[in-house]
Structures are given as structure tokens and as C-alpha cells.
Amino acid sequence: MKQKGLKMPIIFNAAFRQFHLLNNKISYIMHIMENGQLEHLYFGKCVCPEADFSYLAERGHRDMQACPLPDQPYFSPEHIRQEYPCFGYGDMRMPAFEIERENGSRVVDFKYVGHRIYHGKKPLDPLPGVYCEPGDDVETLEITLTDEQIHTDIILYYTIFESAAALIRHAEFSCHGEERISVETAMSFGLDLPDMDYEMIDLAGSWSRERHIRRHSLDYGIQSVYSLRGSCSSHQFNPFIALARRDTGENSGEVIGMSLLYSGDFLAQAEVDNFGVTRVTMGIHPQEFSWTLYSGEKFVTPEAVIVYSDKGIGEMSSTYHWLYRNRLARGMWRDRERPILINNWEATYFSFNEESLLKIARKAADIGIELFVLDDGWFGHRNDSKSSLGDWYVNKEKLQGGLKGFAEKINSLGMGFGIWIEPEMVSEDSDLYRKHPDWVLGDKRRILSKARNQYVLDFSRPEVVDEVYRQLADTFRGLPITYIKWDHNRSMSEVFSAGGNREYQGTVRHRFILGMYSLYAKMTAAFPDILFESCASGGARFDPGMLYYAPQAWCSDNTDAIERIRIQYGTSLVYPLSSIGSHVSAVPNEQIKRITPLRTRAAVAYFGTFGYEQDLTKASEEELAEMKLQISFMKKYRNLIQKGTFCRLISPFEKDGNIAAWEVISEDGKEVLAAYFRILQKPEAPYTRLRLAGLEEKETYLCQEVNNCCEADAEAEKIYRSGSELMNIGLIMSDESSGCKGVAAQVQGDFLARMFLLKKQSPDAE
Ligand code: GLA
């Protein structure tokens, strides 16, 4: 990723009052208009730094409805590509921010008063943010806009890395006057693009069907994705959209990705006006949001990462993967290979005791598993979902030796010990609820919904967060815990905080997220050696905000291999494989009862963090032997998988969705691991090829099939092909049904997975 670039990533041209943020991949240009406001001029592939770009400010006579400034008929805010648009000032499109004064007026006028350019990037405390490390060439621009009547500043932040085609933005509101102001909308950025010739790509779904790729042409009006679930970014939509040109594919064409570092209510929308201008805004959802600022107070929006690629969606993903893996995820586990784990949830649910768990653990240790994760049900008197959330002390009826005794037994088998928590929730049947019934979020004069038999704790209140932290820290301190799965299993509804007045209520949902982040910050500081995996009923919080605290996330409760192909394929649009929690479960699958081969389940789960989630005491000797080979395979290749460059090759969201393929190229480019999945075998099927990507055209590669998707070292036919052949002609994947004779039985049938290992190596090297 590191490349030699231009030495001046941010230029201020004082003569033309223009800002140009650039590296050798992108340019972002804006200027200060004659009225002191900012106008966006260009975002895209890098252009000549010296030029004057004033000509991009198109002005002209506008229609009868325009509201130009007095005596300036050609200055109509509605027809200007605004940098951070407000509402109520001649621009009738959706704004990036809205401020209400004490008298109810929402008319504002923020003008440029100054800027700062500096090396590096400040932390965004109390929110997650991309960071830089010593040696990174990173510059930040802060532009201050002021509305003198209300004595309020907005600071717009822009950070650019020399080596990444990404711009990191957020905004900060601060009030200095006697008059209090109320921030009613505070998006992280606005981006006005000059045309609408784009398709919007987003990640949509539901529980058990997260992050499926959708792509549709932009149309006039508003198209958006959002979460209004309060405490999570949701199963339904991910805080990400991309705008791609119509002909943009994986390896060619222009695309702009926009991703929000936030785990709660968000809105990402593209509005196309009657001139075909596309305005994108992204940030905290304005619904239910209202934040009053008194003199000396400020409000900071979450950060957004905007990525540009002119080499297709694949390169956009690589930029996100690099940034999120190396400059968003933190801590000791950021760069470490992730342990292969066994999780007891689908094996036992709530009914277990020490011996039944140890039986599974012994089998796991025998086949080389490195970490035993004790899921829900170990605390209070929790034997089903109806009790004990909030009481984070061990249930000694189930674990007689306590957590310490049990963890030591796991350690003596040669495995690490991990544990499940759901700290933001409380059960009605819990000591915590009995002691603090007003700590629940909700208007108690109304009916409170009880999703999954539980309530959401009022994490907007620091004393609630402190108590949960105290309990968790007391219980875990001194224990040999190396992993925590942090769950969150219900959305917010009937939101009301007993801890605040009327003004406070509009802040509760965001304060909740800040409270949750603060608990993560405390826990990761107190337990720096623990690997955190976030989870929210499967994948409802798979967002970059969480990755700042937990470098991996449970991708979906759906562990069926075929469903997971689509879920993981979609997830990979933004998120690196090192963040994708993926397990091999038993068949028939718990969620959709499908029966798939063990090799296919492993072949999908390898492309993530990898583990097992099933009762190994019920597995046959043959299955255990196969799992043992899978585990050694993963140990050998996880470095490549978790740190290499991921390329999507065939999309399960295109054509009839029957085939999917992807590959990972090792960091040094010498090895490639490719996987090909065919969901159903079809009669008289078309001839099929698997064309690889990202290879060196003139290099020769030794290409071998991975026997049974787990025996990398087994004798397999050796094929030598040039990179250009592999990328342009591809490997033949046709099966017997298309008339190809002599196809091995193991590549026949439904739910097929095949894997190939490529090594840069010529036949003479043998
Ligand atoms: C959620 C998670 C599961 C499991 C259960 C436990 O549904 O997604 O993996 O941990 O909670 O209650």
C-alpha cells in the first residue's frame, strides 16, 4: 500500500482561496466563495496541483423558484455544489446540518474564518477514529466556519494519507455565545457531485441474511439506507454506500465508497436534484436527535471514510481493508493470527455443566483447536433467555469450580479460555434490575417491549456504565481469559431516560453509543491482552465503529455455508477477512436445516477468523479426522488469509447466483489461495472458467487443487500456468454435466467447494 507520493497532500492556494487535498491517487478540491461559504469543486482521480479550478464554480441564470442573494441574480445557493450544506439559506435540498436558535429560527450563515493544516491526525475521543502511526505521511486540514450572530463555530476536518485513496472527514460544532443553540442535524459530511450517472451500492438484509449486495441506478429524489434501532447499526442496512459508474466492475471503473464509523442510528443518503446533481450526506440519523449546546460546549460527529477508486470495486475494498485492518483496529491482536476456536452455543445452548463442556473441550484440544469459548448461560442463574443479564458473576451450580477453576481446566488441555457477555442489557429477573429499576431505557408509564425477554440498560448515564464495568472487571480480573465475545441482542424502543430532562431526551440515543464505546475503552484498557469479538444477534453491529474496539465481529448467526458465501462476500466489500467471525457448524444447519458437506463448510469459514460451533462429541471419527486436517490447513494459511489481499472473482449476487469465487494473495505476492463454490449442480451446465485476478502476467505459477479443501500437502496434479493465462483464460471448472469426462467424483454434486493453491514458481525450480 505504501507508495511514493506527492510531498504536499494539502495545498491552500491563497490567491484563489482554494483548498486542494491530494496524493498520487486522489484530489479533493473546494474553495471559499465570495459570500464566505464553501463550495465543493471536485473529488476524484488526482489532477494537476498547480491549476486554478475556479472555472468549476458554474453560475448562471436559474429558474423562477431560485432564491439568489440580494443583487446577485447568479448566486443561488440551491444551484451551488455546497461543501457542508445548511438548510434555510436558499438551498432547498437536504442539509448536512440544522441548528435551531432559542427563538426557533433555523436560519444560519456560517462563513469561513480560518484554517489549519498540520501533519498527523488528532484522536476523535470519545468516538472511534482512524489513527496514524509514526512514519505515516498524513495531513489534516481543519476549516473553521463561524456564524457571528449565534457565536457558533463549525470545524470541518479532513485527513488524507499519502498512500491511500481515502479522505477521512467529520465535523465539530462549538458554541461560545450567551444564547444556547440546538443542533438538530449534524451529518459527518456532505458531498455534492456534479452528475447522477451512478449506481448506488449498499449492503442490506436482515437477521441471518446480513449484508447482501444491492445495486441500483440513482434516480431523482432521495435514496437512502439507515438504522433507527438506537443501539446498533443493524442487520437491515450497513453504514456504507458506494456510488459506482454504470460500467464499474470488480477490476475496472470508478467508484466512491462512503463508510461511517458509528454503531447506532445512522443515515446515508443520496439526493439527486433536478439538474442531476447528486448530494450525499452521511451521519447520525436526525430522527430523534437534538443536541443543545451551551456556551463552551461542543458536539463532535462520527468520522466517515470516503474512498475513491478508478480501478473498480475491488480496489475500493482493498483500500478499506488496509485502513480498517491497520489504522482502525488496535491493540495486541491487530497484527496477530487469530486463534481457532470452539464455541459451545450451538452445541449446548443454555444447558451445560462443567463435565459436558469439558467433553467438548477435550475433543477440541485433540484436533488442534486453540481456544474454548463459553457462550451465554454461565452467569447468575441463567438457564434460558429470561433471567440474569446484569448479574455478571458465575453460576456455581453449572461451574462448581467457578470461572477460574473451569478456565484452568481448559488451559490444562492446552487451550485458551474465552467468554460471552452482553453488558448493555438487563433481565427483569436480575439483582441489577431489582436494585435499579430506573436504569432501564424506557418510559415506564407506557408498555415496554421485551425483546428476547430483556431490557436495554440506560448507557447514556455514566453511573450505569460504571456499575457494569465494576462487575465485569471484578469477575474477570486475575482470570486467564484471552477472548471476550461481546453480544447485544435487542434494538431500542420506547426510548426515554429517567436520568434526564426534556432537553436530555434528544441526546439519549447518541449518549448510549458513547456510553457503550466508553465501556469498551475501559475494558480494552483494563484487559489489553484479551481479543474482543463484537456481536449483535449475529451481525447487527458489523461496522467500523466496533472494529476500533474489537478487531473481529461475529458476522451472522446463520452458519450455513451457502448462506455464508453471500453474507461474507457482501461483508468483504468494506471489511477485511481478519474481522469476519466465521465458524463451521453441524448439519442439518441450525438456522435453515440445509445439509452441506463438511469440506464446503470449512472452505467458507477459512475466509475469516475460523472456528467451530458444534458438539464435537457427536462428530464421527472420520469427521474429527477431517476437522484435524482443516485446522492444520488453517494454521498454515491463516497468515495469508488474514493479512493478504482479498479479491472477489465471481459474484453470488449476479446471474443466477449459483456460482461464487474469491481468492487471497499473500502479502509478498508469492502465494494465492482461491476458492470456488457451486451451489447446485445443474444438468447440461454451461462450461465454466475461474479467472483469477491480481497476478503478475509474466510470472509462472504452480497451481494445485487443495485435496478435499484441507490437504494442502497431498499429492495433487501440478499445473504450471502464466499469470496472464490464469487471469485471462482461467482454470476450467466445467463439470461432467457439461460433457467433461473424467471429472473426479469429489467435484460432483450440490454445495460444492473447490480450493486451489497457487505458488509463484516455474517448473525448473523443482
Ligand atoms: C446471539 C449471538 C449468538 C449467541 C447467542 C447467545 O444470538 O449472535 O452467537 O451468542 O446470542 O444468547
Side-chain angles (χ1 to χ4, degrees):
M1 201 70 189
K2 187 87 184 145
Q3 286 178 15
K4 270 266 148 283
L6 296 164
K7 278 284 156 245
M8 285 182 57
I10 300 179
I11 299 166
F12 178 62
N13 183 329
F16 303 121
R17 305 224 295 172
Q18 277 169 19
F19 295 96
H20 189 169
L21 297 88
L22 82 162
N23 57 28
N24 58 2
K25 294 178 176 161
I26 57 169
S27 277
Y28 188 97
I29 303 168
M30 62 193 142
H31 74 165
I32 306 158
M33 295 188 286
E34 51 270 44
N35 73 343
Q37 295 178 351
L38 292 177
E39 179 175 21
H40 180 74
L41 296 178
Y42 174 76
F43 177 51
K45 196 173 168 74
C46 61
V47 293
C48 173
E50 285 84 28
D52 167 20
F53 298 94
S54 316
Y55 65 92
L56 289 169
E58 296 168 75
R59 303 279 187 272
H61 179 71
R62 294 300 184 179
D63 59 49
M64 294 290 287
Q65 296 293 313
C67 298
L69 295 189
D71 308 323
Q72 294 185 54
Y74 295 148
F75 196 98
S76 159
E78 181 187 1
H79 299 100
I80 287 169
R81 291 187 279 282
Q82 308 276 353
E83 181 58 24
Y84 193 64
C86 64
F87 191 75
Y89 190 88
D91 186 348
M92 272 57 82
R93 294 166 292 178
M94 296 304 282
F97 72 100
E98 276 183 291
I99 289 176
E100 191 176 280
R101 299 182 66 167
E102 276 177 0
N103 67 4
S105 167
R106 292 193 175 200
V107 183
V108 291
D109 186 10
F110 280 86
K111 293 184 191 306
Y112 167 88
V113 288
H115 71 268
R116 289 200 317 134
I117 296 172
Y118 50 87
H119 190 76
K121 180 178 186 295
K122 293 194 296 198
L124 205 63
D125 198 40
L127 282 158
V130 168
Y131 59 89
C132 54
E133 296 214 319
D136 286 349
D137 233 332
V138 174
E139 280 202 354
T140 298
L141 164 67
E142 292 180 15
I143 303 180
T144 304
L145 309 170
T146 297
D147 183 327
E148 283 176 355
Q149 275 195 29
I150 54 172
H151 305 282
T152 296
D153 293 339
I154 298 177
I155 304 179
L156 302 179
Y157 287 81
Y158 303 81
T159 296
I160 184 165
F161 278 70
E162 186 195 7
S163 56
L167 196 68
I168 299 147
R169 291 184 58 179
H170 79 278
E172 189 180 293
F173 295 73
S174 51
C175 171
H176 309 290
E178 292 300 301
E179 176 182 347
R180 65 163 195 270
I181 57 148
S182 172
V183 182
E184 298 294 306
T185 300
M187 304 305 267
S188 297
F189 73 89
L191 180 62
D192 282 8
L193 299 164
D195 67 81
M196 62 179 286
D197 192 18
Y198 291 104
E199 291 176 334
M200 179 163 143
I201 299 173
D202 60 50
L203 300 172
S206 71
W207 173 79
S208 226
R209 182 169 45 78
E210 295 91 338
R211 290 173 298 286
H212 280 209
I213 298 176
R214 296 194 312 173
R215 185 167 174 160
H216 49 85
S217 293
L218 282 190
D219 205 344
Y220 293 101
I222 291 172
Q223 31 261 288
S224 68
V225 293
Y226 65 95
S227 165
L228 278 172
R229 294 177 176 267
S231 47
C232 64
S233 47
S234 91
H235 297 99
Q236 286 72 12
F237 297 113
N238 198 255
F240 163 80
I241 58 172
L243 297 182
R245 296 296 185 189
R246 284 171 220 288
D247 56 356
T248 297
E250 276 298 325
N251 302 310
S252 66
E254 274 195 305
V255 58
I256 300 172
M258 287 153 279
S259 161
L260 189 70
L261 278 61
Y262 195 59
S263 312
D265 289 349
F266 76 90
L267 175 64
Q269 71 180 16
E271 176 184 12
V272 180
D273 73 12
N274 55 314
F275 289 96
V277 170
T278 302
R279 167 170 293 174
V280 184
T281 48
M282 196 172 202
I284 294 177
H285 204 304
Q287 175 81 31
E288 306 297 302
F289 173 86
S290 172
W291 199 286
T292 301
L293 291 180
Y294 291 84
S295 188
E297 290 182 343
K298 67 177 184 182
F299 180 80
V300 182
T301 73
E303 206 164 84
V305 177
I306 308 173
V307 166
Y308 170 82
S309 159
D310 64 335
K311 295 187 184 60
I313 299 166
E315 184 162 283
M316 175 200 77
S317 298
S318 296
T319 304
Y320 277 122
H321 291 182
W322 182 83
L323 267 176
Y324 287 177
R325 192 172 58 225
N326 301 303
R327 295 293 180 270
L328 178 65
R330 299 170 303 159
M332 176 181 115
W333 285 98
R334 185 188 80 173
D335 299 325
R336 288 212 177 172
E337 293 178 2
R338 301 302 160 73
I340 297 172
L341 63 81
I342 174 90
N343 177 304
N344 73 307
W345 177 242
E346 287 196 8
T348 65
Y349 294 109
F350 295 101
S351 29
F352 56 80
N353 57 35
E354 206 168 285
E355 195 37 42
S356 66
L357 294 178
L358 285 172
K359 277 188 186 150
I360 298 174
R362 283 185 208 109
K363 292 273 182 195
D366 283 350
I367 58 173
I369 288 178
E370 299 161 310
L371 172 71
F372 182 92
V373 178
L374 176 54
D375 210 282
D376 197 351
W378 60 267
F379 50 92
H381 57 275
R382 188 156 165 101
N383 293 315
D384 55 34
S385 66
K386 294 202 178 93
S387 84
S388 304
L389 291 170
D391 296 346
W392 299 108
Y393 47 82
V394 71
N395 178 340
K396 286 216 169 165
E397 277 174 29
K398 282 178 168 173
L399 301 174
Q400 288 80 8
L403 278 183
K404 189 158 191 290
F406 183 66
E408 282 166 357
K409 285 183 184 146
I410 294 293
N411 289 165
S412 70
L413 294 170
M415 286 188 291
F417 175 65
I419 199 156
W420 178 98
I421 54 173
E422 195 181 358
E424 299 143 70
M425 302 290 159
V426 67
S427 311
E428 195 167 10
D429 177 8
S430 68
D431 294 345
L432 187 69
Y433 184 82
R434 282 183 282 272
K435 196 163 167 205
H436 297 287
D438 62 325
W439 280 10
V440 158
L441 262 189
D443 186 345
K444 288 254 174 107
R445 290 152 298 198
R446 307 275 176 184
I447 290 172
L448 289 195
S449 59
K450 229 184 188 185
R452 213 191 190 219
N453 302 303
Q454 64 199 48
Y455 296 130
V456 183
L457 280 172
D458 186 355
F459 263 36
S460 77
R461 297 166 67 175
E463 68 270 30
V464 181
V465 176
D466 287 349
E467 167 57 19
V468 174
Y469 171 69
R470 189 195 60 72
Q471 277 199 42
L472 290 172
D474 284 357
T475 300
F476 295 158
R477 199 169 290 120
L479 292 186
I481 293 179
T482 54
Y483 164 105
I484 286 181
K485 176 177 173 187
W486 181 316
D487 212 337
H488 164 281
N489 277 317
R490 67 157 289 180
S491 310
M492 284 182 180
S493 66
E494 306 92 31
V495 175
F496 178 80
S497 170
N501 60 12
R502 179 175 182 273
E503 232 167 47
Y504 187 84
Q505 302 307 324
T507 69
V508 168
R509 300 163 81 94
H510 180 57
R511 281 187 201 274
F512 177 95
I513 296 294
L514 295 180
M516 182 267 289
Y517 287 155
S518 76
L519 184 60
Y520 254 110
K522 283 174 192 231
M523 289 292 286
T524 48
F527 301 98
D529 297 345
I530 288 182
L531 168 62
F532 284 82
E533 175 160 340
S534 73
C535 173
S537 301
R541 254 192 199 162
F542 210 120
D543 59 63
M546 296 315 305
L547 291 184
Y548 183 69
Y549 300 100
Q552 58 188 60
W554 184 225
C555 192
S556 173
D557 273 346
N558 197 333
T559 50
D560 170 68
I562 301 308
E563 296 304 317
R564 273 298 186 117
I565 293 170
R566 288 185 273 262
I567 295 169
Q568 292 177 207
Y569 191 97
T571 304
S572 79
L573 228 54
V574 188
Y575 305 101
L577 296 195
S578 56
S579 68
I580 298 180
S582 49
H583 299 168
V584 175
S585 60
V587 288
N589 174 263
E590 281 286 286
Q591 289 73 32
I592 54 167
K593 312 299 170 210
R594 188 177 281 137
I595 297 178
T596 53
L598 181 53
R599 61 182 256 166
T600 304
R601 282 174 272 154
V604 178
Y606 292 143
F607 294 88
T609 58
F610 199 65
Y612 290 79
E613 180 152 351
Q614 56 180 290
D615 188 348
L616 294 178
T617 64
K618 293 190 179 138
S620 68
E621 286 308 312
E622 293 73 39
E623 284 173 320
L624 288 169
E626 193 172 333
M627 289 177 193
K628 195 170 181 175
L629 289 170
Q630 293 170 348
I631 289 160
S632 349
F633 177 84
M634 187 59 183
K635 285 180 182 167
K636 191 160 176 196
Y637 291 103
R638 66 183 152 186
N639 189 57
L640 182 164
I641 292 172
Q642 291 166 1
K643 291 193 183 153
T645 303
F646 183 73
C647 304
R648 291 172 295 270
L649 301 174
I650 303 176
S651 172
F653 299 105
E654 286 169 16
K655 298 194 184 144
D656 63 356
N658 199 42
I659 292 175
W662 55 53
E663 64 170 34
V664 194
I665 306 170
S666 66
E667 277 181 301
D668 63 7
K670 289 187 179 153
E671 280 188 311
V672 182
L673 188 64
Y676 170 91
F677 306 102
R678 184 190 61 219
I679 296 170
L680 294 180
Q681 181 162 22
K682 304 255 171 108
E684 304 273 90
Y687 301 109
T688 313
R689 303 257 171 99
L690 173 60
R691 298 209 291 181
L692 300 164
L695 310 183
E696 284 180 54
E697 295 201 344
K698 294 203 170 77
E699 288 287 341
T700 302
Y701 293 82
L702 163 63
C703 177
Q704 285 182 291
E705 180 146 15
V706 180
N707 187 36
N708 206 26
C709 294
C710 61
E711 293 171 85
D713 302 321
E715 275 304 305
E717 190 193 353
K718 290 184 175 167
I719 302 170
Y720 289 92
R721 298 268 157 81
S722 68
S724 61
E725 279 172 274
L726 289 163
M727 291 192 292
N728 296 304
I729 301 172
L731 297 168
I732 292 183
M733 294 286 120
S734 311
D735 58 41
E736 208 166 39
S737 70
S738 58
C740 288
K741 286 292 160 219
V743 176
Q746 67 160 351
V747 299
Q748 303 288 348
D750 294 343
F751 313 134
L752 173 76
R754 297 179 71 180
M755 288 176 56
F756 299 89
L757 199 56
L758 282 73
K759 288 188 185 136
K760 223 190 243 180
Q761 179 181 314
S762 73
D764 323 330
E766 290 207 18

